[in-house]
Structures are given as structure tokens and as C-alpha cells.
Amino acid sequence: MTEPFLARVARIKETLAARSAGAFLTANPRNFHYLCGFTGSSGALLIRANDAALFTDGRYACQAREEVRGARVILHRHGVLPAVGEWLRRRGERRVLFEAAALSVAERAALGKACGPRVRLVPSTGVVEQLRAVKDAEEVAAIRASARLASDVFEELLPLIRPGIREHELAAELEYRLRRRGSSGTPFDTIVAFGERTALPHARPSSRALRKNELVMLDWGAILRHYCSDLTRTVFAGRAPARIRRTYVAVLEAQQAALRVARPGLAAQQVDAAARNSLRSAGLARYFLHGTGHGIGLEIHEAPRVGRGQKDSLRAGHVITIEPGVYLEGLGGIRIEDDVQITEQGAEVLTTAPRGLLEL
Ligand code: ZN
Ligand code: ZN
């Protein structure tokens, strides 16, 4: 189906009925994009049992008319939330669900003021995010294309990984190649780290120059048709010593262990446990400093989380990262991250960059 918006809005209406609310309001651009197709960065979507309206301003008039499906477009002049509030008040709406995570305290106050005392604003969390977690075929195709694009760039980048190049230079080369191949920006700040700096899981590219016989960690992603990819590769500039090789193999085995168990119906924490137990048997579990993965989609971090204590089950249509890592202070870090679609049968890897230890 090319226009899945009606089905998504129908699910929101079910929530309205279940929670005895007259309207659902989202001011989160990712969420209104998902529900009505509008890709502008400012607006609000109001869904009621029998109608829906997207509020935005004159800058987006043409774009909204072209993109929005299943909702009327209302252009406001003096602020989106005052316009929404006024509209709700005029229609005598009594109980309105809004997304607690999408409004600041000041915005909530502005909305409340415009609604007047008779409208009850009820905070909600995760309503759209839970729907977004399960991707349809078109969404998976977009993520697959995004993962492929990011993977292709890695192979283009390998010849540039030479002693003397600086972290920020390599990051710029990577991002330039993503853009050239059609990525609309980067979904997060690209990570490039050399040597001992690879022990920082979220290193920011610095002016540090690469020396011979050092680890190189790259964590990057593409955005294609609004969908993100996210992958990490760790390579060695030179011939890797035995300890680095052993550690690399242990991280790769942990990743494969997680991949082998990932399937619908399994609690997300079990995928994390598979990676963690594998590293434990190699004596490395205490150096694994983060969760095993996270959902990706319109955003780089979304449901489901794949970490300790995450009891929610995986479902077919989830797309997650699997990214175990080991960080040894003073020596360096190794992380391997791939994007994985949960299918009816199990799991399918969407990223195609080579996974074995590359010695350059
Ligand atoms: Zn990443
Ligand atoms: Zn990630």
C-alpha cells in the first residue's frame, strides 16, 4: 500500500476510544509525518474520531497541500499551539491526549491557556512510537536502501584510512560520500576515533592524526527516504597484535550469538543476554558498557530498546541494531554494529559492509 496513513490514523482512533478521549494531538514532526505524510519541521496534527487537521504556518502551505493525506490543512498566523487550543475550545472538546515528550513546559502552558478551563489535557507517552516500531514493507525497503548506501560508503572510504589523516578529515570524507550518494544528511554525529580514543564509545572526531598500527572506529549512518541506518566498523591500520585479534573475534562472536537468537516472540533482553553471555565466556563482559542495540526508523534511536531489563518481545517488522562493543582503557575499543530486520522466521541483516577484521 503506497498510502498507509489511513490505517495508522485508524489505530490512533482506537486509542482515543480506549482512553475515552475526544482528540489526540502530536507536535512531534516524526510522528505527524508518520500519521499524515507531512515532512515539514513545524506543525501539529490533531486527530478526532471523525476528522483530522494538520496545523502549520504559511511557509509550508504548498508543501502541506502536496504531502498531507487524510487530514485538512489549517494555516495559522500566531503560533501553532494557540491555534490548536482555540480550535479545540471552539469545538467544545473535553478530553485531549497530547504527547508529553513533544511539548515543553512553556508550550504545554500556552496550549492550556488557549484551550481554556473546560478542555482537559491528558499526557500520553509512546502511542505513535509503538506503532512506528513495527515497520511495513515500504519502510523496511527504505531502511534496507539506507543501510546499503552507508555500507557502500565504507568500502569507498577504506583507501583513505592511512597514517597522517585526522579524525575530523576522515569524518568529513565519510559524510561527503554519504551526501554524494544521496543521503539527506547524517542521522547522528559521525563517530571517527583512532588508537586509544576508540575506548570512548561516543568519541567526537578530533584533530588526532592516525599513526601506523592503531585501531580505527567508525560509527555512521545514512538517511534515505527519511529512514535511518546505523553501523559501526572497527579496522586496524597495520597488522593487528594477537590481543586485538582475539578481542575482535570475541566481539564478532557476541554479535553473531545475538543475531542467532533474535526472532519474533523473544524478549529483547534475551538478545542482549546472548551477546553479554558470549563476551562473559571470553572474560570481556565487564568491558561491554552499553546495551546491545536499539530500534531504527524515522529516528536513529527508537523502540524497541535491546538491553538489560527490556522485557517487551521482538515482533516481525521491528528493525534493530545489534552492536556489542568492548572498551579497554588505554588500549582501545572494538564495536561491530549492523542493522537487522526481525522477520517471521528470525532475523535478516540489512547492512552489507564486510564484518571480519580488516587490516589496512
Ligand atoms: Zn551506531
Ligand atoms: Zn546504534
Side-chain angles (χ1 to χ4, degrees), residues 8-188:
R8 294 171 184 172
V9 167
R11 301 282 302 276
I12 299 297
K13 289 178 182 174
E14 288 169 18
T15 302
L16 286 179
R19 299 195 52 182
S20 311
F24 177 84
L25 171 67
T26 173
N28 173 341
R30 304 275 181 269
N31 287 350
F32 58 63
H33 172 196
Y34 182 77
L35 293 170
C36 77
F38 178 56
T39 61
S41 54
S42 173
L45 178 67
L46 194 62
I47 296 172
R48 304 195 303 167
N50 296 314
D51 59 17
L54 178 91
F55 294 76
T56 189
D57 62 79
R59 292 172 299 166
Y60 295 107
C62 293
Q63 186 183 340
R65 269 196 299 276
E66 254 172 47
E67 292 179 340
V68 173
R69 296 288 179 272
R72 55 190 283 221
V73 175
I74 298 175
L75 299 179
H76 66 82
R77 291 184 176 205
H78 305 294
V80 63
L81 293 171
V84 170
E86 170 87 20
W87 200 85
L88 288 166
R89 187 166 54 80
R90 286 226 193 109
R91 278 155 186 80
E93 213 48 82
R94 287 297 172 84
R95 202 174 139 82
V96 178
L97 292 183
F98 74 99
E99 296 181 307
L103 294 191
S104 68
V105 173
E107 288 168 334
R108 163 68 181 76
L111 178 64
K113 193 171 166 212
C115 282
R118 298 172 73 92
V119 181
R120 186 150 170 240
L121 295 170
V122 182
S124 69
T125 51
V127 173
V128 186
E129 286 79 1
Q130 284 308 313
L131 298 181
R132 276 173 44 193
V134 178
K135 275 76 183 172
D136 65 27
E138 241 177 74
E139 294 181 285
V140 173
I143 298 173
R144 186 189 296 275
S146 177
R148 170 61 68 92
L149 190 160
S151 299
D152 289 348
V153 165
F154 175 66
E155 308 206 27
E156 250 187 74
L157 204 69
L158 290 175
L160 301 179
I161 303 179
R162 290 273 171 266
I165 193 164
R166 296 178 189 279
E167 289 174 350
H168 63 73
E169 289 172 337
L170 194 56
E173 295 286 355
L174 201 164
E175 293 184 356
Y176 166 68
R177 283 166 174 72
L178 287 167
R179 279 280 195 180
R180 237 182 47 167
R181 284 176 176 266
S183 176
S184 47
T186 54
F188 56 91

Side-chain angles (χ1 to χ4, degrees), residues 291-302:
T292 292
H294 53 86
I296 55 172
L298 292 170
E299 282 175 287
I300 193 61
H301 290 117
E302 51 178 71

Side-chain angles (χ1 to χ4, degrees), residues 219 230 294 301 321 323 337:
D219 187 347
D230 181 10
H294 53 86
H301 290 117
T321 67
E323 51 176 304
E337 173 178 31

Side-chain angles (χ1 to χ4, degrees), residues 164-307:
I165 193 164
R166 296 178 189 279
E167 289 174 350
H168 63 73
E169 289 172 337
L170 194 56
E173 295 286 355
L174 201 164
E175 293 184 356
Y176 166 68
R177 283 166 174 72
L178 287 167
R179 279 280 195 180
R180 237 182 47 167
R181 284 176 176 266
S183 176
S184 47
T186 54
F188 56 91
D189 290 340
T190 299
I191 295 172
V192 174
F194 299 154
E196 74 292 338
R197 299 192 76 252
T198 56
L200 306 168
H202 274 180
R204 287 184 157 272
S206 71
S207 57
R208 164 84 153 75
L210 180 64
R211 296 190 285 261
K212 192 142 181 62
N213 297 320
E214 284 193 324
L215 282 166
V216 175
M217 183 185 284
L218 310 166
D219 187 347
W220 76 105
I223 307 173
L224 212 52
R225 306 203 289 271
H226 304 283
Y227 283 82
C228 304
S229 52
D230 181 10
L231 59 163
T232 305
R233 288 293 181 266
T234 310
V235 303
F236 198 83
R239 221 178 125 64
R243 186 169 179 208
I244 297 281
R245 275 173 199 236
R246 266 201 316 275
T247 310
Y248 193 96
V249 168
V251 173
L252 186 55
E253 277 175 2
Q255 195 208 28
Q256 298 304 306
L259 204 49
R260 273 196 300 277
V261 300
R263 63 172 189 277
L266 188 78
Q269 63 182 1
Q270 295 300 118
V271 176
D272 181 80
R276 221 164 280 283
N277 291 339
S278 174
L279 285 172
R280 187 165 296 118
S281 64
L284 293 169
R286 67 181 178 283
Y287 305 112
F288 181 17
L289 304 176
H290 48 76
T292 292
H294 53 86
I296 55 172
L298 292 170
E299 282 175 287
I300 193 61
H301 290 117
E302 51 178 71
R305 303 275 159 170
V306 184

